[in-house]
């Protein structure tokens, strides 16, 4: 019997029609064991850190000290992988109006890094081949891996470069895994689900969000490491973007579809439908001038639909539903059980990501339309909860009534990104940040991963290509 979290993950991911430290030797060297994916061990001269190691042993923090020194030590051994924008460098400019957490940059970086190591130990796994990595999602219906998680993992890996010496190894391993699981409809996209034995399951086709994040992460990898290594990241990004343009962008509405299985106009119910959590405005903005579609047109079409849906169906809240149908005529929230669950037309387990996706574009670009949409949601939830993050509930009707009586990190964390765009929301942002940081890992892939992604945004470690 699946747990509640597993059941929620199964609903959210949408199974369409499927039903279906080694001890120092001789006082001269120590072996560092990096704790995820394939184990790597490097022998480093003890003289490089003997005094710190001694101090750390006295305080019981040797492991953390070694983690903090890993990059520098591996560099001395000639094995470090150089990156252009290491974690904590804050090279990415945010708009001047975007709020910062009052805890300060150093504290925000430390909290994000600390949680990253916990997340990594739980969810980054080797694949079925030695050069692969995968993110363990374990959705409860046999899907050990989903393309959504692979995209998230690639985003996290490329942004944690410099903090984790294995970041590029993990990134490349995730990409190799993805390439070995092509969609049956467009082989340049990823089949969206595999079991623990790496067998494609549940329809063997794509899910739009996973491939959008994969393409974006490949562009970031080119900016971070260049494309002259084993993987030509720039070329791979162009390949995926071409495939997305061909199979995931509706040629009539210029909106992203549900997956490469929804490309037949003979089935208008799905052909003219879209998922709000796939509206990655910052991605579309970064894709402008690149392969595939007219991404400026794609960006504008989504911003227009956001305004329409907020004004027509959620004027007091700004909330968006999980799914929107009839996008070629009069767009409206999907009906119950349209694709996944009774709440397909409400702010539920998919749309929970909307404040993050809209918020990070507004926070960085300063775009007035994105900022208006994100801050509208933030002002409502700030008022709804009385400024107390503990009062957030897991899902809402578009008029603001709660669906469930409990809170969940899946819903709480993304609001923090939207809060950075809310000019009156400094205390709200600080309360959200404090609650997110102090909450122990949920041991649920979805909640923990969204937490880490939003922490990267709010700590100003997000990247654009």
């Amino acid at each position: 019997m699946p747990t509640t979290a597993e059941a929620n993950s199964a609903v959210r991911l949408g199974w369409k029609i499927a039903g279906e430290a080694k001890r120092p030797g001789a006082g001269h060297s120590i072996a560092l064991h990096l704790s995820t994916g394939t184990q790597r061990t490097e022998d480093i001269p003890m003289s490089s850190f003997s005094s710190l190691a001694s101090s750390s042993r006295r305080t019981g923090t040797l492991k953390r000290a070694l983690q903090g020194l890993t990059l520098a030590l591996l560099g001395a051994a000639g094995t470090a992988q150089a990156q252009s924008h290491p974690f904590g460098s804050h090279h990415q400019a945010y708009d001047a109006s975007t709020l910062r957490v009052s805890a300060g940059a150093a504290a925000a970086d430390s909290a994000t890094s600390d949680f990253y190591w916990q997340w990594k130990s739980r969810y980054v796994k080797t694949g079925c081949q030695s050069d692969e990595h995968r993110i363990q999602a374990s959705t409860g219906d046999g899907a050990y891996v989903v393309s959504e998680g692979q995209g998230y993992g690639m985003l996290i890996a490329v942004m944690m470069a410099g903090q984790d010496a294995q970041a590029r190894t993990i990134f490349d391993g995730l990409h190799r895994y993805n390439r070995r699981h092509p969609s049956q409809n467009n082989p340049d996209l990823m089949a969206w689900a595999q079991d623990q034995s790496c067998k494609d399951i549940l329809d063997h086709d794509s899910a739009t969000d996973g491939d959008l994040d994969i393409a974006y992460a490949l562009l970031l990898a080119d900016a971070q490491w260049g494309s002259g290594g084993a993987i030509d990241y720039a070329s791979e990004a162009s390949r995926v973007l071409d495939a997305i343009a061909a199979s995931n962008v509706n040629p009539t509405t210029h909106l992203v579809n549900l997956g490469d299985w929804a490309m037949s106009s003979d089935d208008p119910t799905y052909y003219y439908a879209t998922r709000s959590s796939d509206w990655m405005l910052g991605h579309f903005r970064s894709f402008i001038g690149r392969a595939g579609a007219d991404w400026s047109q794609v960006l504008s079409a989504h911003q227009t639909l956001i305004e329409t849906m907020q004004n027509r169906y959620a004027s007091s809240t700004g909330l968006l539903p999980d799914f929107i149908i009839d996008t070629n005529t009069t767009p409206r929230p999907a009906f119950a059980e349209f694709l996944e669950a009774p709440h397909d037309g409400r702010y539920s387990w998919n749309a929970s990501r909307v404040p993050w996706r809209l918020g990070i574009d507004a926070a960085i670009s300063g775009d007035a339309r994105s900022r208006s949409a994100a801050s509208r949601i933030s002002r409502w939830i700030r008022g709804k909860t009385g400024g107390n993050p503990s009062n957030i509930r897991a899902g809402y009707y578009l008029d603001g009534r709660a669906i469930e009586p409990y809170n969940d990190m899946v819903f709480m964390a993304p609001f923090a990104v939207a809060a950075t765009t809310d000019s009156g929301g400094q205390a709200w942002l600080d309360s959200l940040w404090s609650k997110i940081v102090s909450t122990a890992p949920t041991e649920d892939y979805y909640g923990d991963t969204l937490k880490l992604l939003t922490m990267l945004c709010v700590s100003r470690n997000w990247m654009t290509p």
Side-chain angles (χ1 to χ4, degrees):
M1 178 68 67
T3 65
T4 299
E6 288 171 336
N8 286 334
S9 295
V11 165
R12 172 185 55 77
L13 287 165
W15 294 315
K16 307 184 285 296
I17 306 166
E20 6 184 16
K22 185 175 176 181
R23 296 183 65 175
H28 298 300
S29 66
I30 189 168
L32 299 183
H33 292 257
L34 306 182
S35 63
T36 193
T38 53
Q39 187 182 70
R40 290 179 57 188
T41 301
E42 303 291 343
D43 288 324
I44 308 299
M46 281 293 290
S47 59
S48 299
F49 57 95
S50 58
S51 61
L52 177 57
S54 176
S55 172
S56 298
R57 282 193 295 272
R58 288 195 300 271
T59 59
T61 59
L62 177 58
K63 181 177 180 180
R64 180 166 294 181
L66 293 178
Q67 287 178 335
L69 283 173
T70 295
L71 180 63
L73 295 175
L74 293 182
T79 60
Q81 298 165 323
Q83 57 282 315
S84 298
H85 309 297
F87 173 85
S89 64
H90 304 134
H91 83 284
Q92 175 64 57
Y94 281 53
D95 186 73
S97 64
T98 301
L99 301 181
R100 302 171 182 265
V101 291
S102 298
D109 287 350
S110 178
T112 303
S113 175
D114 285 350
F115 187 69
Y116 165 74
W117 293 108
Q118 296 177 66
W119 175 88
K120 178 182 176 183
S121 68
R122 283 175 169 83
Y123 304 111
V124 180
K125 308 297 180 183
T126 53
C128 293
Q129 298 189 41
S130 61
D131 62 347
E132 295 177 344
H133 285 83
R134 52 186 173 167
I135 304 302
Q136 180 182 343
S138 296
T139 62
D141 194 40
Y144 186 83
V145 172
V146 291
S147 61
E148 166 200 279
Q150 293 296 102
Y152 290 163
M154 292 172 75
L155 291 174
I156 291 166
V158 72
M159 294 182 198
M160 293 305 301
Q163 179 67 19
D164 184 352
Q166 281 193 309
R168 188 172 184 179
T169 299
I170 293 168
F171 185 98
D172 289 358
L174 291 167
H175 181 64
R176 291 189 188 98
Y177 179 95
N178 300 347
R179 292 293 288 129
R180 290 165 184 161
H181 295 278
S183 167
Q184 64 183 356
N185 299 319
N186 187 328
D188 288 324
L189 302 175
M190 183 182 172
W192 80 276
Q194 293 81 45
D195 63 17
Q196 191 166 1
S197 299
C198 301
K199 178 183 177 181
D200 291 337
I201 58 173
L202 303 172
D203 299 338
H204 303 197
D205 47 26
S206 81
T208 300
D209 58 345
D211 289 299
L212 284 168
D213 278 334
I214 288 167
Y216 188 76
L218 286 163
L219 291 174
L220 296 184
D222 176 58
Q224 184 72 282
W225 297 302
S227 293
I231 297 174
D232 184 341
Y233 303 120
S235 177
E236 287 295 283
S238 293
R239 178 186 57 76
V240 179
L241 283 173
D242 280 336
I244 291 171
S247 298
N248 292 141
V249 177
N250 186 291
T252 301
T253 65
H254 310 292
L255 300 168
V256 290
N257 64 13
L258 304 173
D260 63 3
W261 55 272
M263 280 299 290
S264 174
S265 58
D266 293 335
D267 190 356
T269 299
Y270 296 108
Y271 186 69
Y272 291 113
T274 184
R275 180 191 287 106
S276 61
S277 55
D278 297 351
W279 300 351
M280 305 176 193
L281 304 186
H283 289 23
F284 303 150
R285 193 180 302 280
S286 294
F287 296 162
I288 293 173
R290 301 181 188 272
D294 180 345
W295 294 107
S296 179
Q297 188 176 43
V298 171
L299 172 62
S300 180
H302 287 86
Q303 290 183 309
T304 297
L305 182 55
I306 290 165
E307 291 164 355
T308 296
M309 297 302 296
Q310 287 186 322
N311 291 336
R312 186 174 295 164
Y313 298 102
S315 59
S316 63
T317 66
L319 296 174
L320 297 174
D322 278 8
F323 297 96
I324 295 85
I325 60 174
D326 299 338
T327 57
N328 61 321
T329 54
T330 304
R332 61 189 177 94
F335 49 85
E337 303 289 356
F338 160 71
L339 190 68
E340 298 182 8
H343 298 300
D344 280 355
R346 296 162 186 152
Y347 182 83
S348 193
W349 296 89
N350 282 293
S352 63
R353 294 170 285 187
V354 166
W356 159 42
R357 297 295 194 181
L358 305 190
I360 190 56
D361 179 57
I364 290 178
S365 74
D367 180 273
R369 299 176 79 183
S370 296
R371 181 169 292 276
S372 175
S375 63
R376 187 174 187 173
I377 296 170
S378 182
R379 289 193 302 273
W380 168 76
I381 191 64
R382 173 160 57 93
K384 176 74 173 179
T385 61
N388 183 352
S390 296
N391 292 335
I392 293 171
R393 295 294 175 257
Y396 292 94
Y397 294 88
L398 299 188
D399 64 6
R401 289 173 295 140
I403 294 174
E404 304 291 353
Y406 57 87
N407 195 352
D408 193 285
M409 185 61 69
V410 168
F411 291 86
M412 181 167 62
F415 283 131
V417 186
T420 68
T421 72
D422 180 357
S423 61
Q426 184 66 61
W428 172 238
L429 172 62
D430 290 341
S431 293
L432 279 166
W433 179 258
S434 178
K435 182 69 172 178
I436 290 166
V437 170
S438 64
T439 301
T442 65
E443 299 189 13
D444 167 63
Y445 140 82
Y446 192 41
D448 283 343
T449 304
L450 291 184
K451 173 178 174 176
L452 180 54
L453 287 162
T454 59
M455 291 179 77
L456 285 164
C457 293
V458 176
S459 68
R460 298 190 171 218
N461 284 291
W462 196 256
M463 292 175 60
T464 62

